[in-house]
Amino acid sequence: MTLIIMKLCGILLYVSMMDRYHPDKNASNPEASELFKEVAYSYSILSDPEKRRQYDSAGFEALDADSMDMEIDLSNLGTVNTMFAALFSKLGVPIKTTISANVLEEALNGTVTVRPLPIGTSVSGKVEKQCAHFFGVTINEEQAESGIVIRVTSTAQSKFKLLYFEQDANGGYGLALQEDSEKTGKVTSAGMYFLHFQVYRMDSTMNALAMAKDPEGAFFKRLEGLQPCEVSELKPGTHIFAVYGDNFFKTASYTIEAVCAKSYEDTTQKLKDIEAQILRKRNELRQFEAEYRKALARYQEVTERYAKEKQSVDELLKQRDGIHSSFTIVKSTNVSGTASNLSNGSSSKVSGDESKGDSPGEDGGSDGKDKSAKKKWFNLNLKGSDKRLI
């Protein structure tokens, strides 16, 4: 176990310093994707007692990476593991939490406190982490026929779950539906829509690890998390909902409201239409993905050929230049020497001329003429000077 903890701590330190390696920010960086995947994989082992036992007994070989679900019960984690989970979640590692067994047991025993939530009203509150506030929503036949919407929002961007319970024969409540909060703009929200037609929910954790493994295909997986809701209508009577605090350390602030869809007929139709468009778009993306990958493979093929062809052309031209330079009677090794000799001869000639000009015994030299001229000019000045003196 020491090895996996050391490995996890090392990766954690690196990721905390280099959070830019998240796949969403590095779609073209395979190293970032591999690092992200390794963090998620290591944490899933550390946070699960059964997987820890398997690792301790047989190492990584005993674990099936493709079948590992990132679902943990935060109420069973220690402080250190909870800190790891909070940091990984902040970095974008998909961590799906489960509901505390204590909350589910209390609901099954019917020992929870249920507060009324009339249709058309809202209630605000704060729920402790891994605890739940229960609400009873009573609807009549007209409201049930029109449709009911239960929504929870948090301006504090708290993490929470919206739960729906069905009453058991023994008087308790069994969990039937749950929705995890999602960040939408400046708030987190979750909702359940009982509108007499198939409504869909978005599971953001679905295929999250697969998206991390294949950043190029992440775009094509964005709509795969759209899943049909199991319940599409409510019958007249009292229905039990709960807000479950899913923060790692602090309480979750929330506002829950119950709405009758009769006053929102246009909005209801828009929801139906937009989800139908999303489903069609998902099918189009599935087909387009195959076309895209085929075109991408072809692009990579022609890009590689381009590089090879460029290298080949450069080499051919280089050989041609070499052949051209072979047409000469001057050996390439003597060319610099000849030039050096010519340069030295030229310098000697110039030096010789200069030495001749400096010889005092030569007649007709330029220096001799200059000296007589200077002497004549000197004498004329003196004579002129003498005359002025006389």
Side-chain angles (χ1 to χ4, degrees):
M1 199 63 219
T2 304
L3 177 61
I4 186 65
I5 294 177
M6 290 177 62
K7 180 180 181 183
L8 183 60
C9 290
I11 296 172
L12 173 63
L13 177 61
Y14 188 65
V15 174
S16 64
M17 295 175 63
M18 307 292 285
D19 62 344
R20 64 177 180 274
Y21 281 179
H22 190 282
D24 290 344
K25 302 177 183 178
N26 297 272
S28 61
N29 187 349
E31 182 182 350
S33 176
E34 287 300 316
L35 183 62
F36 182 83
K37 179 176 63 176
E38 200 168 353
V39 170
Y41 182 60
S42 298
Y43 178 75
S44 66
I45 299 172
L46 183 65
S47 62
D48 190 301
E50 178 61 22
K51 289 172 186 162
R52 285 205 310 268
R53 184 192 63 76
Q54 294 176 10
Y55 174 83
D56 288 338
S57 62
F60 286 110
E61 292 76 10
L63 301 166
D64 182 5
D66 294 331
S67 64
M68 293 198 311
D69 295 324
M70 296 294 293
E71 287 198 21
I72 57 176
D73 183 356
L74 294 178
S75 61
N76 289 335
L77 291 181
T79 304
V80 175
N81 284 344
T82 303
M83 291 177 63
F84 274 120
L87 179 56
F88 289 156
S89 178
K90 190 72 174 178
L91 293 173
V93 177
I95 297 177
K96 191 172 183 178
T97 58
T98 60
I99 302 168
S100 169
N102 292 335
V103 171
L104 296 178
E105 185 178 356
E106 290 176 359
L108 283 173
N109 294 333
T111 58
V112 295
T113 301
V114 179
R115 288 176 277 186
L117 178 64
I119 293 293
T121 64
S122 64
V123 174
S124 298
K126 291 184 177 182
V127 58
E128 294 293 331
K129 59 185 179 71
Q130 288 82 61
C131 296
H133 288 174
F134 287 79
F135 299 90
V137 180
T138 302
I139 59 176
N140 57 36
E141 291 187 5
E142 182 182 1
Q143 291 169 336
E145 186 177 349
S146 299
I148 299 297
V149 174
I150 308 296
R151 272 180 53 82
V152 182
T153 57
S154 173
T155 56
Q157 299 185 3
S158 298
K159 290 185 64 178
F160 58 85
K161 297 179 188 293
L162 173 60
L163 312 178
Y164 171 61
F165 292 84
E166 293 179 340
Q167 190 163 8
D168 290 342
N170 60 0
Y173 307 107
L175 181 64
L177 296 174
Q178 74 174 56
E179 291 289 337
D180 289 359
S181 61
E182 296 285 347
K183 187 175 180 181
T184 53
K186 296 182 178 180
V187 302
T188 50
S189 64
M192 293 184 180
Y193 305 85
F194 307 96
L195 301 172
H196 298 279
F197 60 84
Q198 184 62 71
V199 178
Y200 294 81
R201 60 186 180 84
M202 181 64 76
D203 185 357
S204 60
T205 62
M206 187 176 182
N207 295 324
L209 290 178
M211 292 168 61
K213 293 178 183 178
D214 183 16
E216 292 245 350
F219 165 72
F220 298 101
K221 304 299 182 184
R222 287 185 64 184
L223 301 181
E224 294 299 325
L226 197 69
Q227 301 295 316
C229 295
E230 294 83 352
V231 181
S232 60
E233 61 182 79
L234 297 178
K235 295 179 180 181
T238 300
H239 299 271
I240 306 300
F241 296 88
V243 180
Y244 179 81
D246 208 24
N247 279 337
F248 290 102
F249 295 105
K250 59 184 181 179
T251 60
S253 302
Y254 68 88
T255 298
I256 183 172
E257 54 186 334
V259 176
C260 178
K262 184 176 182 179
S263 304
Y264 299 88
E265 292 181 356
D266 291 343
T267 306
T268 300
Q269 186 60 43
K270 288 179 181 178
L271 176 62
K272 187 175 183 179
D273 293 342
I274 196 65
E275 288 194 340
Q277 293 180 39
I278 292 174
L279 290 174
R280 288 195 297 269
K281 179 59 67 176
R282 183 171 66 179
N283 291 332
E284 292 174 6
L285 284 179
R286 288 171 178 172
Q287 297 176 359
F288 176 56
E289 182 179 9
E291 298 176 13
Y292 171 80
R293 293 191 180 279
K294 185 177 179 180
L296 181 62
R298 177 59 180 162
Y299 170 77
Q300 292 173 343
E301 180 183 341
V302 298
T303 301
E304 291 175 0
R305 181 178 175 183
Y306 173 86
K308 291 179 181 178
E309 295 291 357
K310 183 178 182 301
Q311 183 179 1
S312 176
V313 168
D314 291 342
E315 183 62 29
L316 290 172
L317 292 176
K318 183 178 179 181
Q319 293 180 18
R320 178 175 177 269
D321 291 341
I323 294 172
H324 282 173
S325 64
S326 298
F327 289 98
T328 178
I329 59 174
V330 180
K331 297 298 182 181
S332 60
T333 56
N334 296 332
V335 171
S336 59
T338 305
S340 176
N341 291 336
L342 291 174
S343 175
N344 292 337
S346 195
S347 300
S348 300
K349 186 175 181 181
V350 172
S351 300
D353 291 343
E354 290 176 355
S355 60
K356 287 180 181 179
D358 292 340
S359 301
E362 278 195 64
D363 295 333
S366 58
D367 288 349
K369 292 180 180 180
D370 291 341
K371 286 182 178 180
S372 60
K374 289 178 181 178
K375 184 176 182 181
K376 183 177 180 182
W377 174 81
F378 179 73
N379 291 335
L380 286 175
N381 286 341
L382 287 176
K383 290 178 181 179
S385 300
D386 294 337
K387 287 179 181 180
R388 284 194 296 270
L389 292 170
I390 291 171

